[in-house]
Structures are given as structure tokens and as C-alpha cells.
Amino acid sequence: MTTRHLQIDADTFEAAKAHIQQQFDTLSWWPTEGPDQAKQEYRLMSSNPAQLTYWCEKWLNGGQWRQLENDVRQRLRRG
């Protein structure tokens, strides 16, 4: 959907997954387009940073990428 803003790598992988899972748990419509299909693909593609990056590029819009980036930064600061 959009160009990647956040580099999902070994350092940010778990925080990115936590953010995405939180969005799934709290927002039934997330991501905006095809949330059910997105959830199914996430289950298959959340095992490593490269696959998760691909999933994010496919499903997240610019605003959702920014939210992911901001939340990952906050999670990493908190430790």
C-alpha cells in the first residue's frame, strides 16, 4: 500500500508484532482494507522480520505505518 517508514529488523520485530496484535485485538476493522484476509496472512507472515515487512507494505496505509513507527519507538524506549 505504501512505502516503508520503519525498518523492521531483529531489534524492532517483537515491538512491531505487539503493535499489530494490539490493533487486531482492539479494532475489528483494522487494517482498513480486507481486515479478515489481512489477519489470515499475518498469521502466516509474522514469523520473521522480512515477512512482516512485506505484510506491512501490503496492508498498511501511510497513517498506519506512522502509528506503527511511533508505537515501536515508544515500546523500545520503555524497554
Side-chain angles (χ1 to χ4, degrees):
M1 284 187 158
T2 187
T3 303
R4 169 175 58 221
H5 299 275
L6 170 71
Q7 179 66 37
I8 299 175
D9 56 20
D11 294 333
T12 58
F13 180 60
E14 291 301 325
K17 284 186 3 178
H19 171 80
I20 293 167
Q21 189 60 55
Q22 180 181 21
Q23 297 305 304
F24 283 146
D25 291 345
T26 59
L27 304 170
S28 63
W29 52 265
W30 193 90
T32 310
E33 295 180 31
D36 292 332
Q37 183 180 356
K39 288 175 189 176
Q40 288 176 341
E41 288 186 20
Y42 174 78
R43 287 184 201 107
L44 299 172
M45 300 181 77
S46 61
S47 60
N48 67 61
Q51 287 183 329
L52 185 60
T53 298
Y54 177 79
W55 182 91
C56 290
E57 288 173 346
K58 179 177 180 178
W59 291 105
L60 302 184
N61 63 33
Q64 291 163 335
W65 264 109
R66 283 187 295 280
Q67 288 175 335
L68 173 64
E69 183 175 32
N70 290 337
D71 190 49
V72 166
R73 286 182 179 156
Q74 289 176 4
R75 288 173 190 268
L76 293 176
R77 275 184 251 156
R78 285 182 272 182

